[in-house]
Amino acid sequence: MKITVVTGTEQKGCTYRIKETFLGALGPGHDITEFYLPRDLPHFCSGCKVCFFKYEALCPHADYVVPIWNSMLDSELLVFASPVYALRTTAQMKALLDHLCVHWMVHRPDERMFHKRAAILTNAVGAIQKGAQRDIQTSLTWLGVSQIRTLGIGLMEGIIFNQLSEKRQKEILRKVVKFAEKFKNQAPPRQGLKVRGLFAICKMMHQQAARKETVLSADNEYWAKKGWIKTP
Ligand SMILES: Cc1cc2nc3c(=O)[nH]c(=O)nc-3n(C[C@H](O)[C@H](O)[C@H](O)COP(=O)(O)O)c2cc1C
C-alpha cells in the first residue's frame, strides 16, 4: 500500500515513536513517503492568494508544497502524526494545511482524494486531544478524504518517552498497534456521505457563479474542465 506520512515535529520523541510503531504494525512491504515539518515546508502561507486566483504551481512555496500534495494524491493511506501544542496541532502542521486550502472542495478539489483513508495520531501529556485532531480532520474532510480515524495518546506521566514507566510505555504501544489493525484492510473506502454532501453544495455554488460571471474564476474554470459544472 502507498502511504504518505506527515509528522508535525522534527523531534525524535513521543510523536516519532508512536508514528514508527503505527507504521511497523501495518506490516512489511509498504511504499512509504515521509515528510517532517517544518523541515519539508519551512514557510507559513504568505496569503498572496495566487493559488486561488491563478494556479497553485505559482505559490512561492510550491517547491515544498507540490511534492507533499502529489505524494498525498498518489497514496492510499495518509498518516498525520502531531504532538498537541497549546491544545491544538503544531503551527508547522497548520502551515501545511493552510497551503492546501486551494484543494478544498470550495475551490479546486481532486477526486483522487475521495477514496483515501487517513489516520491522525496525536499525543499530549494530558487527555485533551480533540482540538489538535480537529485541526487536521477538518482540513482532510474539506480535501475530500472519506474515512478518517483518530487516535489520541495521553502520555500522563511526562513528555519524554523513555522516562515514562515501563507499564505506561507498553500500554501506549499496545494501543497504537491495536489502532493500526484497523488499517490492514486495504480496500479503498466508498465516498463518504459528508464528502458527497459537501461536493454537492460546492457544485451548486460553482454552477451559480459560472452562470453569473462573464469571465470565469480559476476555480470555476477548473470545475468546468472537470465536467462538474456547465458553462454558458
Ligand atoms: C510547546 C509545547 C506545547 C505543548 N502543549 C501541550 C498542551 O497544550 N497539552 C498537553 O497535554 N501537552 C502539551 N504538550 C506536550 C506535547 O503534546 C507532547 O506530548 C510532547 O511534546 C511529547 O511529544 P514529542 O516528544 O513528539 O515532542 C506541549 C509540548 C510543547 C513542546
Side-chain angles (χ1 to χ4, degrees), residues 1 15 20 22 27 49 53 55 71 77 85 119 124 126 128-129 159 162 195 197 215-216 220 222 230:
M1 163 165 65
T15 311
E20 284 290 294
F22 176 83
K49 304 170 196 69
F53 295 137
Y55 184 40
S71 176
L77 175 63
Y85 281 6
I128 302 173
Q129 320 251 337
I159 51 173
N162 291 336
V195 167
V215 180
L216 287 185
N220 284 166
Y222 175 88
K230 291 189 180 74

Side-chain angles (χ1 to χ4, degrees), residues 71-130:
S71 176
M72 287 170 67
L73 289 174
D74 266 357
S75 296
E76 287 130 284
L77 175 63
L78 311 174
V79 180
F80 286 78
S82 176
V84 172
Y85 281 6
L87 299 180
R88 295 291 183 166
T89 193
T90 57
Q92 50 267 40
M93 183 67 92
K94 184 67 167 66
L96 169 64
L97 300 174
D98 292 349
H99 278 94
L100 297 180
C101 277
V102 67
H103 303 294
W104 275 35
M105 216 85 78
V106 275
H107 295 290
R108 302 201 288 275
D110 191 306
E111 66 276 21
R112 283 172 286 178
M113 293 302 280
F114 299 164
H115 298 280
K116 296 192 191 302
R117 290 179 303 153
I120 300 172
L121 308 167
T122 59
N123 75 90
V125 66
I128 302 173
Q129 320 251 337
K130 280 284 169 237

Side-chain angles (χ1 to χ4, degrees), residues 31-76:
D31 179 355
I32 301 173
T33 306
E34 293 215 49
F35 300 95
Y36 288 92
L37 302 175
R39 184 193 74 185
D40 296 319
L41 173 57
H43 301 289
F44 291 114
C45 167
S46 62
C48 69
K49 304 170 196 69
V50 73
C51 60
F52 294 144
F53 295 137
K54 289 186 178 159
Y55 184 40
E56 55 271 25
L58 298 175
C59 167
H61 314 132
D63 288 351
Y64 296 99
V65 180
V66 172
I68 302 176
W69 177 241
N70 284 341
S71 176
M72 287 170 67
L73 289 174
D74 266 357
S75 296
E76 287 130 284

